[in-house]
Amino acid sequence: MTEFQNYKRVLVFTDQRYFFQANDKVRELTKEGYRCEVVSMPISPNKAEQLLSQQPLGSVVWIYGEENSSQAIEYVARNAGFSKNEIWINKSSEQNTRIFCSQCHHINEISSAEMFECERCHIKLDPSNHYSIYHKSYLAYPIIN
């Protein structure tokens, strides 16, 4: 079963770049008994708000898009009453991963999940799988020799 076991309705926002990835997920969810609706981005905030406010309880929102448009949809969804656990933003297609330095709090962008040096404080860091919704990045721990 998928990670949204308690939900039966999924509203998927996607732009053209992520369409095939979103469509594959919709097919998978449909086979598992979920009702999915795909919305093409860009979409006006008013239209997104209208769509989100009409969703039944137990619905979730998946967003496949670039960071700016994804954040805009996430903001509208939060204002429409969706919790952070009911909003999922695709990050798997991004070329660079945002990594939050636990020492100086600078957000670095790296292309691989290997240890690296922070751009600001120059400490060696090891990325973790702890994701911060607030910072929209993964936490990195210092490597102590």
Side-chain angles (χ1 to χ4, degrees):
M1 198 71 177
T2 183
E3 58 266 29
F4 294 117
Q5 295 179 30
N6 297 327
Y7 304 103
K8 285 294 184 186
R9 177 101 168 108
V10 181
L11 186 60
V12 179
F13 288 89
T14 185
D15 63 21
Q16 195 62 33
R17 180 175 175 194
Y18 297 89
F19 179 78
F20 291 111
Q21 187 177 5
N23 202 31
D24 287 343
K25 193 61 171 178
V26 166
R27 262 190 247 114
E28 176 186 323
L29 290 169
T30 302
K31 286 180 185 176
E32 294 180 15
Y34 292 83
R35 293 183 51 220
C36 300
E37 181 180 346
V38 178
V39 179
S40 293
M41 295 191 301
I43 185 172
S44 73
N46 290 341
K47 180 69 174 168
E49 183 178 359
Q50 182 183 17
L51 280 169
L52 290 162
S53 66
Q54 294 173 352
Q55 298 306 306
L57 285 175
S59 297
V60 294
V61 176
W62 282 19
I63 306 168
Y64 289 86
E66 298 301 322
E67 187 170 347
N68 289 343
S69 58
S70 295
Q71 286 179 346
I73 297 296
E74 178 187 21
Y75 179 78
V76 172
R78 293 297 300 266
N79 284 341
F82 287 83
S83 73
K84 64 182 179 181
N85 295 330
E86 295 169 327
I87 303 169
W88 183 83
I89 300 175
N90 176 53
K91 294 172 186 62
S92 63
S93 292
E94 294 178 357
Q95 290 181 2
N96 292 326
T97 304
R98 292 169 48 97
I99 305 290
F100 180 76
C101 176
S102 61
Q103 297 301 300
C104 71
H105 304 172
H106 178 71
I107 296 178
N108 300 269
E109 290 198 17
I110 62 171
S111 59
S112 67
E114 299 175 1
M115 65 180 182
F116 68 99
E117 187 176 289
C118 177
E119 296 169 350
R120 182 183 290 161
C121 69
H122 304 289
I123 192 168
K124 287 191 178 189
L125 297 168
D126 186 22
S128 73
N129 61 353
H130 299 286
Y131 187 76
S132 166
I133 293 174
Y134 179 77
H135 294 290
K136 298 191 183 332
S137 62
Y138 290 91
L139 178 64
Y141 296 105
I143 298 173
I144 301 180
N145 296 333

